[in-house]
Amino acid sequence: MHVVYSTKERRKIIPPEMKERLWSYTAGICKGQKLFVHATGGMEDHIHLLLQFPATIAIAGAVKTIKANSSGWMADEIGKFGWQVGYGAFSVSKSNIPAVIRYIQNQERHHHKMTFEEEFIGLLERHGIEYDPKYVLG
């Protein structure tokens, strides 16, 4: 599953020097839940995770735990911090895993071309997910 969520109100509050630490910390939370982590990455206002879930673990519960623990850690590190309420989770076929890993690893270059909002709407549309912009972009 390709899981994507932003900071609260899509604020650009993840400092450049904290990105790698946050991605690593988040991967550790995932591993603690017995999730296989293919990739983590993102920008100052959002995170991407490519995760493999065992059949016994619900996506919603796992994401809730990941967000709660990582936001608490970030708040301890940099002060006030929070993630948005929702998230996107997109299934990825085994054959597309390498492409999604590259996509996550190339976030800096990718975001020279589009905003997080444009990226997220694009993911929803590519996966055929109907959405109401007032809920997606609040």
Side-chain angles (χ1 to χ4, degrees):
M1 296 297 291
H2 180 187
V3 178
V4 184
Y5 49 90
S6 75
T7 56
K8 189 173 184 176
E9 300 172 348
R10 289 176 301 288
R11 293 184 185 147
K12 296 178 185 294
I13 58 172
I14 302 170
E17 67 276 7
M18 288 298 297
K19 287 181 190 174
E20 289 304 319
R21 290 181 62 204
L22 176 57
W23 312 155
S24 294
Y25 189 84
T26 302
I29 296 165
C30 296
K31 291 174 186 173
Q33 294 188 83
K34 308 295 187 233
L35 305 177
F36 183 83
V37 180
H38 290 275
T40 60
M43 296 294 292
E44 60 273 356
D45 61 352
H46 69 280
I47 188 169
H48 291 260
L49 307 165
L50 183 56
L51 306 172
Q52 195 166 323
F53 288 79
T56 57
I57 297 179
I59 295 167
V63 172
K64 181 179 180 180
T65 299
I66 294 164
K67 288 168 68 176
N69 287 302
S70 61
S71 65
W73 179 79
M74 277 296 282
D76 288 344
E77 293 292 316
I78 67 168
K80 188 175 178 182
F81 183 87
W83 295 114
Q84 73 177 75
V85 173
Y87 64 93
F90 309 96
S91 60
V92 176
S93 67
K94 186 175 182 176
S95 63
N96 282 333
I97 288 173
V100 176
I101 291 170
R102 281 190 304 276
Y103 178 83
I104 291 171
Q105 291 172 339
N106 289 311
Q107 283 290 292
E108 296 283 339
R109 185 173 42 156
H110 178 71
H111 283 285
H112 287 295
K113 300 174 191 169
M114 70 174 54
T115 65
F116 170 71
E117 290 85 354
E118 293 167 329
E119 175 187 44
F120 194 75
I121 295 297
L123 285 167
L124 292 170
E125 290 175 350
R126 270 195 305 282
H127 288 271
I129 298 171
E130 292 184 24
Y131 63 93
D132 184 333
K134 73 178 179 184
Y135 296 115
V136 172
L137 302 176

